[in-house]
Amino acid sequence: MSAALPQIPAVLDLAGTAVFALTGALLAARLRQTFVTMAFFALITGVGGGSVRDLLIGAPVFWVRDPWVAPVCLATALVAWFTPRKWWEGELLDWADAAGLAAYAVLGTAKALAFGLAPVPAVLMGVITGCIGGVIRDVLAGRPSIIMRPEIYVTAAALASALCAAGSWLGLPREIAWTGAALAGFALRGLAIARGLALPSYRADS
């Protein structure tokens, strides 16, 4: 491995997982599903991206070895089950998700770099970490995935990941590189939320 594995405070890590898990649980609630389905959606959304990343880079799957991740996802499903859905609707959850997306894209990239991946594959691992859980959730729910919609989401994760890899390549202190990358990804996603920014769709005549 070329660098120390990325570390963040456990509370912040679990909080990010809980935010992603909550989006999965709320989708199941919106679809009027059972608690079992809600718990499954919470778990797959919370750990999906990191699991795929770890399998691809040959790392131990993070949540299998961490005794707190799965219980946090299940506890989040319980919270969603026993509270009115309207409590969680609106932009508050979107902003929390934006913060989690940017942070996890950076951490996914940093972990991939630490396992010796080249910058471009590492960036892709960052995008996978931030986005794939939501993609799996949407596919299972039978609705258009976030990657099939023009809103800026994956692009924000890609920006955060690319800046993280660039900072590592330039030899910047990781505190500066990670923070700057995460803030840039969060800002881009925030602009999309606040102003409805979206990428242009393909319109060329055939």
Side-chain angles (χ1 to χ4, degrees):
M1 290 182 287
S2 59
L5 292 179
Q7 297 291 328
I8 62 172
V11 171
L12 294 180
D13 194 15
L14 291 172
T17 299
V19 168
F20 285 138
L22 183 60
T23 66
L26 292 177
L27 177 56
R30 193 173 296 122
L31 297 174
R32 304 291 182 182
Q33 296 297 312
T34 66
F35 176 73
V36 172
T37 302
M38 182 179 285
F40 179 77
F41 270 48
L43 181 64
I44 200 68
T45 308
V47 307
S51 298
V52 173
R53 174 206 62 215
D54 287 347
L55 290 171
L56 289 174
I57 68 176
V61 177
F62 75 104
W63 66 274
V64 175
R65 292 172 175 263
D66 188 326
W68 289 102
V69 174
V72 163
C73 290
L74 297 178
T76 302
L78 279 172
V79 170
W81 180 262
F82 286 110
T83 55
R85 200 181 71 210
K86 64 182 180 181
W87 286 13
W88 309 105
E89 293 181 339
E91 290 189 350
L92 177 62
L93 187 60
D94 289 337
W95 284 98
D97 180 73
L101 173 73
Y104 275 30
V106 168
L107 290 171
T109 303
K111 186 170 185 177
L113 290 170
F115 271 78
L117 270 68
V120 173
V123 168
L124 296 178
M125 292 302 105
V127 174
I128 285 172
T129 304
C131 299
I132 288 299
V135 172
I136 297 172
R137 172 201 66 205
D138 291 341
V139 170
L140 291 175
R143 72 172 193 170
S145 169
I146 190 69
I147 64 172
M148 299 299 291
R149 303 197 293 271
E151 63 183 282
I152 293 177
Y153 190 88
V154 177
T155 306
L159 175 63
S161 298
L163 290 177
C164 175
S168 177
W169 183 72
L170 291 172
L172 297 177
R174 70 181 189 179
E175 292 78 8
I176 296 175
W178 291 8
T179 302
L183 287 176
F186 176 73
L188 181 58
R189 178 59 185 151
L191 283 172
I193 294 170
R195 301 188 179 183
L197 298 182
L199 296 174
S201 300
Y202 179 72
R203 296 183 180 278
D205 295 330
S206 56

